[in-house]
Amino acid sequence: MRKAQKRQAEELVRQTEEAHDQIKKFIEQDSIPAAMELLEECQNGGITLGTLIESTEGEVHPTVLLLEEYCELAYQIHEDLTRNSDINAKKIHKLLKQKLIRISNSLKNDVKVRKEVVFLPYKASMWDSLESVWKAADKDENCNTYVIPIPYYDKDPDGSFREMHYEADLYPKYVPVTRYDQYDLEKHRPDMIYIHNAYDQWNLVTSVHPDFFSGNLKKYTEELIYIPYFVLDEVDPANEQAVENMKHFCFMPGIINADKVIVQSEDMKKIYIREYLKAAKEHGLQGKHLDKEYLEQKFLGLGSPKYDRVLSTKKEDLDVPHDWLKVIEKTNGNWKKIILYNTGVAALLTYNEQWVDKIENVLKTFEENREKIALWWRPHPLTESTIKSMRPEVLQKYMLLKEQYIEEGWGIYDETADVDRAVVISDAYYGDGSSVAQLYKKTGKPVMIQNMEINI
């Protein structure tokens, strides 16, 4: 039974207890018709409560059986009042009270509260930021979980929506997904909703459907929880320049609306709280948004589920496509050294065409060494959307480079939703500083950040 349903059941019991007191008064005042009418209402209430519990707990549940006994007792008392037989108000009140006490105790002890927890990822490649939390909730026998991928749109430079994307078919097979149009948030009112996109209307490149903006979600749940889809370089809270470079992450619509924000470390928590307070004051927010004690409970430095996912993934359990094996294997069957080449959108937005030139030079270098090293190129999943929206002048050059690389087939091009496969299987990381680079450091394998000023 859901928490709200149990509260409803407890309220019915409380109202019935008050009705018993009133029935006793009516009988003592010789207002028998009024007592009989109220007794009928009590019986109907017992039926309503029994139906509610039966629908969630089953028809042979102890509380349901006790409610059946209660309804039978109410019926017998009603019949006695009809016949005007010897009526003892105190005795009737005592019998009803005894039955109701047993029902109340059973409701408290035998009816377990089940939480309903909803996860609303939008890009399948970012699912790893929620997966370990979902797994824990899914194992809880007193928890119903729903993974509901939501649609998102690319945006034109003027902010209008372009094509819609819906990636429900890209999630791991072991993750049961529910279509977003087959789950009514207003009807279900889940206890918790988890999101990994906090940008809402502030995102210049993509947008989830406005129905799933955090302000709307907040209406339908007791607890909205935001977990970033990325991890950052650990920053010393005293390093003002480093904080300045990342503070924009600390104040977004989803963070403002969230009841809980889970960040990757205690130091990051300190930064989020400090920068959130500054921004909240600048934006004229009041009340709890300026309450340091409240924010200490809102922001939690519990770590990123992305780390949980990659560290629990075993190389031998991963599937490598046959075409990729052709790139990885030497003629003797052994594997080459595999370099994960990851390119991000922050470097793109900073260096523009120079970024594309850098990728071109890197690909040429690795092609020359393809007999010894396998290149696994994995661009940020929003690369093309970002170029179209914010750097359209480099689109043609980038697309020609990408298409040539794929057509030649000497390296791997990975645009799948599973970043952890690339991290676990490869031997070293090379590329832009990014969330993937931070994730890679957790494996203990080498991480090399490319320098835009050097032609490799």
Side-chain angles (χ1 to χ4, degrees), residues 230-366:
F230 53 84
V231 287
L232 301 171
D233 266 326
E234 279 299 319
V235 174
D236 182 347
N239 187 332
E240 293 183 8
Q241 184 57 55
V243 171
E244 181 68 23
N245 292 337
M246 56 78 61
K247 69 178 185 179
H248 58 283
F249 291 115
C250 304
F251 191 80
M252 291 286 173
I255 295 178
I256 297 168
N257 292 315
D259 297 289
K260 301 291 183 186
V261 176
I262 299 175
V263 296
Q264 66 194 57
S265 68
E266 284 297 318
D267 275 351
M268 202 63 74
K269 171 181 173 176
K270 293 175 184 177
I271 295 170
Y272 266 77
I273 292 175
R274 189 174 69 202
E275 296 306 315
Y276 183 92
L277 273 170
K278 291 179 184 177
K281 290 176 183 177
E282 291 172 3
H283 285 76
L285 299 186
Q286 301 294 326
K288 63 185 181 181
H289 298 286
L290 304 181
D291 184 340
K292 183 77 179 297
E293 289 186 12
Y294 167 78
L295 296 179
E296 287 286 348
Q297 301 303 315
K298 176 186 176 91
F299 291 94
L300 304 173
L302 300 178
S304 173
K306 294 174 74 70
Y307 294 147
D308 300 333
R309 170 85 181 277
V310 74
L311 294 176
S312 65
T313 301
K314 297 179 181 178
K315 192 172 183 178
E316 57 269 22
D317 295 335
L318 296 170
D319 176 57
V320 180
H322 181 69
D323 288 345
W324 293 6
L325 286 174
K326 291 179 182 179
V327 175
I328 293 171
E329 290 179 343
K330 298 178 181 178
T331 54
N332 62 5
N334 293 331
W335 281 21
K336 305 170 188 175
K337 290 293 183 181
I338 303 170
I339 303 299
L340 171 58
Y341 182 47
N342 181 72
T343 53
V345 295
L348 156 66
L349 295 173
T350 301
Y351 293 99
N352 307 310
E353 189 171 355
Q354 185 181 353
W355 177 80
V356 183
D357 292 338
K358 177 68 177 183
I359 294 175
E360 184 176 19
N361 289 329
V362 169
L363 296 184
K364 284 180 181 178
T365 300
F366 277 99

Side-chain angles (χ1 to χ4, degrees), residues 39-307:
L39 200 57
E40 289 174 9
E41 291 181 14
C42 289
Q43 188 176 13
N44 290 333
I47 293 170
T48 299
L49 181 53
T51 302
L52 172 63
I53 296 173
E54 187 176 302
S55 68
T56 61
E57 310 299 314
E59 60 183 13
V60 295
H61 190 272
T63 314
V64 174
L65 299 179
L66 289 171
L67 282 162
E68 289 174 354
E69 293 178 9
Y70 171 83
C71 289
E72 179 61 28
L73 174 62
Y75 173 77
Q76 290 297 333
I77 294 172
H78 186 277
E79 288 299 294
D80 289 344
L81 292 175
T82 302
R83 292 191 293 267
N84 286 317
S85 56
D86 185 25
I87 299 170
N88 186 318
K90 290 183 178 179
K91 181 178 180 181
I92 288 173
H93 186 266
K94 182 177 180 180
L95 288 172
L96 291 171
K97 182 177 180 179
Q98 287 174 340
K99 287 291 184 185
L100 195 61
I101 288 173
R102 293 182 64 194
I103 291 168
S104 180
N105 289 337
S106 181
L107 180 62
K108 178 181 178 180
N109 299 316
D110 299 328
V111 177
K112 304 301 181 185
V113 171
R114 293 181 64 84
K115 289 184 178 179
E116 188 157 305
V117 182
V118 166
F119 297 83
L120 297 178
Y122 80 113
K123 285 198 69 64
S125 60
M126 299 171 181
W127 168 241
D128 60 344
S129 63
L130 298 175
E131 183 173 278
S132 64
V133 181
W134 164 73
K135 282 184 173 179
D138 197 51
K139 286 181 181 177
D140 186 344
E141 61 180 16
N142 293 317
C143 187
N144 296 329
T145 61
Y146 294 85
V147 177
I148 307 175
I150 57 178
Y152 69 95
Y153 300 83
D154 293 328
K155 296 175 78 171
D156 283 322
D158 64 1
S160 61
F161 286 1
R162 207 164 55 241
E163 60 266 41
M164 187 187 89
H165 303 276
Y166 180 58
E167 300 184 353
D169 59 336
L170 299 181
Y171 288 75
K173 293 179 180 178
Y174 55 81
V175 179
V177 300
T178 300
R179 278 191 60 89
Y180 67 95
D181 53 4
Q182 295 178 352
Y183 183 94
D184 189 331
L185 284 168
E186 186 173 6
K187 179 180 178 182
H188 280 257
R189 294 193 171 272
D191 299 279
M192 299 178 181
I193 296 178
Y194 283 87
I195 58 174
H196 64 187
N197 181 332
Y199 301 106
D200 293 352
Q201 68 274 18
W202 291 12
N203 196 325
L204 301 178
V205 176
T206 62
S207 174
V208 299
H209 191 287
D211 285 351
F212 298 99
F213 283 175
S214 59
N216 290 330
L217 298 177
K218 181 67 178 165
K219 300 173 186 175
Y220 306 121
T221 184
E222 292 188 5
E223 196 165 25
L224 181 64
I225 304 167
Y226 165 63
I227 303 178
Y229 64 78
F230 53 84
V231 287
L232 301 171
D233 266 326
E234 279 299 319
V235 174
D236 182 347
N239 187 332
E240 293 183 8
Q241 184 57 55
V243 171
E244 181 68 23
N245 292 337
M246 56 78 61
K247 69 178 185 179
H248 58 283
F249 291 115
C250 304
F251 191 80
M252 291 286 173
I255 295 178
I256 297 168
N257 292 315
D259 297 289
K260 301 291 183 186
V261 176
I262 299 175
V263 296
Q264 66 194 57
S265 68
E266 284 297 318
D267 275 351
M268 202 63 74
K269 171 181 173 176
K270 293 175 184 177
I271 295 170
Y272 266 77
I273 292 175
R274 189 174 69 202
E275 296 306 315
Y276 183 92
L277 273 170
K278 291 179 184 177
K281 290 176 183 177
E282 291 172 3
H283 285 76
L285 299 186
Q286 301 294 326
K288 63 185 181 181
H289 298 286
L290 304 181
D291 184 340
K292 183 77 179 297
E293 289 186 12
Y294 167 78
L295 296 179
E296 287 286 348
Q297 301 303 315
K298 176 186 176 91
F299 291 94
L300 304 173
L302 300 178
S304 173
K306 294 174 74 70
Y307 294 147

